[in-house]
Amino acid sequence: MGLHKSMNPFILALAFFLSSVCLAQERSFFSGNLSDSETIVSSLGTFRFGFFTPVNSTSRYAGIWYNNIPIQTVIWVANKDKPINDSSGVISLSEDGNLVLTDGQRRVLWSTNVTTQARANSTVAELLDTGNLVLKDDNSETTLWESFRHPTDSWLPNMVVGTNARASGENITITSWKSPSDPSPGSYTAALVLAAYPELFIMNKDDNNATVWRSGPWNGQMFNGLPDVEPGVIFLFRFTVNDDTNGSVTMSYANDSTLRYLYMDYRGSVIRRDWSEARRNWTVGLQVPASECDIYRRCGPFTTCNPRKNPPCSCIKGFRPRSLVEWNNGNWSGGCTRRTPLQCERLNNNGSADGFTRLRRMKLPDFAIRSEASEPECLRTCLRTCSCIACAHGLGYGCMIWNGSLVDSQELPAGGMDLYIRLAHSEIILLILLLLAYSLLETPDRRPVIIASSLAGGILVVAACGLMARRLVMKRRARKKGRDAEQIFNRVEALAGGDKAKLKELPLFEFQVLAAATNNFSLRNKLGQGGFGPVYKTLYVSCSGYMSPEYAMGGLFSEKSDVFSLGVILLQIVSGRRNSNSTLLAYAWSIWNEGEITELVDPVIFEQVFEKEIRKCIRIGLLCVQEAANDRPSVATMCSMLSSEIVDIPEPKQPAFISRNVVAPEAESSENSEPKASINNVTITDVSGR
């Protein structure tokens, strides 16, 4: 009896505790009514569904928000454009099985509005741990409706975004709030757009659904233009496309967390938010648009945008600003236009075949067309199609073709794809330069000149060997304080907008090379007169940035006369001599066979540390002027040799046009004393080998 009495308090306490637990247990579902003061909570306590009031507002809405987080974070709203002004709202299951929201006057403000075969009072609403509110048949467990297919401004893991136009006309999009205190539909929508290559788009409804941002095309694993995310955060996309009108994409994370989601800000940005327990606040991760280059068509057609450059917009090689005045004023929306028509655009479709320039690490332009061509045939297919202006090929993409215009291209810091831009043959072989000639040294036959870049309105294209010569000359000039090139850079700094870094990248060339390049500054090659001097056109080949040898097709780099001219020029840059071809080639060949290349090299540029590079230039130059044209490399191969893409360089054979009696160039006293040869002194415009 005493033991029984002593246990009574314990039993009573235990019973009270269990009773309290049962009473405190919150439901994750309901099948009756839910008043303004009632809520349901997902089974793990992550999400809560009921009535809430937005910050800085007095209106009441039914919605879902994160539970146990001190900052109100709503991820779905039912009556987003029909607020309740008091606490009279009720969420209930109607007689036809739908979930409905009514106010104190029994007006229906929102409903799931589905046609069900369920019997009366047999449906139930449940809040899942994913944040998805589902309406299901309590008998069959069949899902009749779910909030994940009717999102507002938030995209949670495993939530679907897409379209099912053929079956139901359903289009699942993310829509911003009007403001932080007003969940009614705002101006911006994120949607999946199905085309040849599906993409995610942000559009402005107030501007006739104008595109604000695009993700770049989908390749089966990723969107080409999505920026890299932080380490440890890996997006997983599951994509389903049935045809041109039906498709969806689901987002999740490799390191899945319900406290991480994407939402659309009322200003039109899609932002990834992660909950930080240490900070007791949300942290911002991925955000798009993240830079001005993410804004759709920021730079207009036929341009590339790079947020790491100033200015960020630049014309694609072979194009020039459509309006130079607007361009220089920072208005790049007009974009650029092609300088030289493509072959099929020219009269009679004559001239040499077009070629390509390669842009690396690119967010691909909009409006790609899928081609069935294989990778080896992709570029050839583009060349055979007059309307094709660019192409690309990649895993999961296949062959991609662009017609008409190129818009919304961006240079990415990493990732991206190679984009091949179709250019006229003359844009690759014969490119216009602006020459600003200034005397830097006292002796007239050693006058390097500085070449203006596109900062002055032209396109800077130089031979790869010229870049090496520039480095050698600039290193020597740097020892002279307060003189020479630095003074020139200061003079034209205003032309470049104060960007000295770009000016110092401009190469220096010997006066005789430029004389040869312009046919002794012929009036026929003069383009005009600028504030810094005469402007001429010249012929040079740029190795940097152009297509690799395996893509040299359609006769683009097959002209042996071109490579012969470049070989002669290469030997002139190296030697600093402008003798007749026969004399220079014979002397260079003799020096090469003797192994004493220092006798050939211009002492102004020679330094022991560069001897290996100079020897390579001489060898390549001699390969280009070999007597048999078939022994000479193509221009593309020459470029690969100069850029060290090809390291196994063969020994050269005897050059063309060699006189039997070799005379050192220094011994020549006049033009009349030069041995006669089969061609004239080299000019870049008309020299050709056999």
Side-chain angles (χ1 to χ4, degrees):
M1 189 70 170
L3 180 61
H4 176 72
K5 289 182 178 179
S6 64
M7 291 184 63
N8 279 341
F10 174 77
I11 293 174
L12 291 173
L14 179 60
F16 179 80
F17 173 76
L18 293 175
S19 175
S20 300
V21 170
C22 292
L23 289 173
Q25 181 67 42
E26 296 187 277
R27 299 173 296 166
S28 62
F29 60 90
F30 72 96
S31 57
N33 295 335
L34 204 65
S35 67
D36 183 88
S37 60
E38 296 177 300
T39 61
I40 61 173
V41 179
S42 63
S43 59
L44 295 180
T46 307
F47 296 97
R48 184 177 292 271
F49 171 64
F51 288 90
F52 72 96
T53 298
V55 294
N56 300 322
S57 173
T58 59
S59 299
R60 298 290 283 172
Y61 298 87
I64 304 171
W65 61 92
Y66 276 97
N67 191 34
N68 296 326
I69 286 181
I71 300 174
Q72 184 188 76
T73 307
V74 178
I75 55 102
W76 183 80
V77 183
N79 56 322
K80 50 185 178 290
D81 52 355
K82 294 182 178 180
I84 303 174
N85 296 324
D86 52 34
S87 59
S88 64
V90 176
I91 304 169
S92 61
L93 290 166
S94 65
E95 292 183 359
D96 63 0
N98 275 290
L99 195 63
V100 297
L101 169 62
T102 58
D103 61 10
Q105 300 178 12
R106 297 186 178 276
R107 292 178 300 186
V108 176
L109 304 179
W110 172 84
S111 171
T112 53
N113 196 29
V114 294
T115 302
T116 72
Q117 301 297 325
R119 297 191 305 272
N121 302 321
S122 65
T123 57
V124 62
E126 182 178 5
L127 181 60
L128 305 181
D129 287 312
T130 58
N132 191 12
L133 178 66
V134 298
L135 175 68
K136 60 184 180 180
D137 188 325
D138 197 24
N139 297 321
S140 64
E141 294 292 319
T142 301
T143 298
L144 306 174
W145 175 94
E146 56 183 315
S147 62
F148 267 21
R149 300 193 73 86
H150 303 271
T152 51
D153 69 333
S154 299
W155 192 11
L156 276 67
N158 301 311
M159 181 182 286
V160 170
V161 170
T163 180
N164 189 9
R166 174 172 296 179
S168 62
E170 183 181 42
N171 190 20
I172 305 173
T173 63
I174 307 297
T175 303
S176 66
W177 286 20
K178 185 165 289 186
S179 72
S181 59
D182 183 359
S184 61
S187 302
Y188 299 96
T189 297
L192 175 68
V193 176
L194 296 180
Y197 297 90
E199 299 188 47
L200 294 173
F201 279 74
I202 297 176
M203 293 168 285
N204 186 346
K205 295 188 297 180
D206 293 344
D207 188 17
N208 198 27
N209 281 331
T211 300
V212 176
W213 170 87
R214 50 180 281 271
S215 65
W218 170 260
N219 72 345
Q221 295 182 334
M222 60 176 289
F223 293 99
N224 162 257
L226 271 184
D228 293 335
V229 296
E230 296 87 339
V233 179
I234 302 175
F235 277 104
L236 299 178
F237 291 99
R238 185 169 66 253
F239 202 92
T240 303
V241 177
N242 299 323
D243 53 42
D244 291 341
T245 60
N246 295 273
S248 62
V249 60
T250 302
M251 178 272 298
S252 61
Y253 301 94
N255 46 349
D256 210 359
S257 170
T258 54
L259 297 180
R260 174 180 293 141
Y261 75 110
L262 296 171
Y263 90 104
M264 171 161 279
D265 180 76
Y266 72 97
R267 290 164 294 195
S269 295
V270 173
I271 303 170
R272 198 196 79 233
R273 304 178 80 182
D274 302 89
W275 177 255
S276 171
E277 191 61 34
R279 299 179 182 179
R280 301 293 293 169
N281 204 342
W282 292 103
T283 60
V284 175
L286 168 74
Q287 178 174 338
V288 292
S291 71
E292 63 176 323
C293 287
D294 287 335
I295 303 300
Y296 188 71
R297 297 180 68 121
R298 177 67 180 90
C299 300
F302 297 111
T303 63
T304 61
C305 191
N306 188 335
R308 298 167 298 283
K309 293 181 179 179
N310 186 21
C313 299
S314 58
C315 290
I316 294 174
K317 295 174 184 176
F319 294 79
R320 61 169 178 261
R322 185 175 297 276
S323 171
L324 191 58
V325 174
E326 291 182 359
W327 188 273
N328 290 337
N329 287 332
N331 180 6
W332 307 296
S333 59
C336 302
T337 184
R338 190 181 295 277
R339 282 206 309 260
T340 305
L342 298 176
Q343 182 185 21
C344 59
E345 297 172 347
R346 297 191 291 269
L347 294 177
N348 302 323
N349 194 23
N350 57 5
S352 300
D354 301 327
F356 294 93
T357 180
R358 178 170 57 186
L359 307 181
R360 299 179 182 271
R361 298 188 302 277
M362 297 298 296
K363 174 184 175 181
L364 296 175
D366 200 2
F367 307 114
I369 300 171
R370 188 183 296 272
S371 169
E372 298 302 321
S374 63
E375 181 174 5
E377 289 295 322
C378 190
L379 274 74
R380 293 184 178 91
T381 299
C382 183
L383 285 177
R384 289 194 293 263
T385 308
C386 271
S387 60
C388 179
I389 57 174
C391 61
H393 194 287
L395 182 64
Y397 295 107
C399 181
M400 309 173 74
I401 298 294
W402 283 267
N403 298 331
S405 184
L406 299 177
V407 296
D408 200 41
S409 300
Q410 184 181 159
E411 299 176 47
L412 302 175
M417 281 184 60
D418 287 351
L419 176 64
Y420 292 88
I421 308 297
R422 184 174 179 177
L423 295 179
H425 180 269
S426 60
E427 286 294 340
I428 297 177
I429 302 299
L430 314 176
L431 289 173
I432 298 176
L433 299 179
L434 291 180
L435 308 180
L436 303 179
Y438 283 93
S439 176
L440 298 181
L441 297 179
E442 291 78 6
T443 54
D445 60 342
R446 287 288 186 270
R447 290 184 294 162
V449 294
I450 185 168
I451 297 182
S453 71
S454 57
L455 300 174
I459 301 298
L460 180 63
V461 182
V462 296
C465 52
L467 297 177
M468 187 196 75
R470 172 256 177 188
R471 289 196 297 267
L472 300 178
V473 174
M474 287 296 294
K475 184 173 181 180
R476 189 175 185 90
R477 300 295 181 271
R479 297 171 184 160
K480 300 181 178 181
K481 297 182 179 180
R483 298 178 58 194
D484 301 333
E486 188 63 29
Q487 296 178 5
I488 300 302
F489 294 141
N490 292 334
R491 293 177 196 173
V492 297
E493 181 185 357
L495 183 64
D499 196 341
K500 278 192 176 183
K502 289 187 176 180
L503 289 174
K504 291 184 178 180
E505 293 175 3
L506 303 181
L508 296 176
F509 280 85
E510 293 294 322
F511 179 82
Q512 61 266 31
V513 174
L514 294 172
T518 58
N519 196 13
N520 290 319
F521 299 99
S522 167
L523 291 178
R524 189 175 55 183
N525 289 328
K526 186 174 180 180
L527 299 176
Q529 184 79 18
F532 290 91
V535 179
Y536 294 88
K537 69 177 181 180
T538 182
L539 313 181
Y540 267 108
V541 174
S542 171
C543 299
S544 174
Y546 288 104
M547 55 190 296
S548 53
E550 60 265 27
Y551 292 113
M553 60 186 66
L556 175 60
F557 287 135
S558 63
E559 295 82 353
K560 297 300 180 180
S561 60
D562 289 333
V563 80
F564 181 89
S565 303
L566 291 172
V568 174
I569 295 170
L570 186 58
L571 294 173
Q572 286 184 327
I573 290 175
V574 174
S575 67
R577 298 178 171 92
R578 55 171 181 173
N579 310 102
S580 65
N581 292 339
S582 58
T583 304
L584 176 61
L585 300 187
Y587 184 65
W589 178 245
S590 173
I591 292 297
W592 176 262
N593 287 327
E594 293 174 3
E596 299 293 335
I597 67 162
T598 55
E599 296 184 20
L600 177 65
V601 181
D602 186 345
V604 172
I605 68 168
F606 181 77
E607 292 189 28
Q608 196 70 33
V609 67
F610 295 116
E611 182 174 352
K612 184 178 179 180
E613 291 187 38
I614 293 174
R615 180 181 291 274
K616 182 175 77 170
C617 273
I618 295 174
R619 174 182 285 193
I620 296 172
L622 289 172
L623 284 172
C624 294
V625 297
Q626 293 176 107
E627 186 170 17
N630 289 336
D631 289 338
R632 301 169 195 156
S634 66
V635 175
T637 302
M638 174 191 179
C639 292
S640 297
M641 291 176 178
L642 288 168
S643 62
S644 299
E645 292 182 16
I646 296 178
V647 295
D648 188 13
I649 302 176
E651 283 292 324
K653 299 176 183 178
Q654 177 175 307
F657 317 122
I658 290 184
S659 301
R660 295 186 179 275
N661 297 322
V662 177
V663 180
E666 288 85 347
E668 300 174 343
S669 58
S670 69
E671 285 186 318
N672 294 332
S673 66
E674 292 177 358
K676 292 185 178 180
S678 58
I679 63 171
N680 297 325
N681 287 355
V682 61
T683 64
I684 305 176
T685 54
D686 59 10
V687 170
S688 63
R690 295 190 295 180

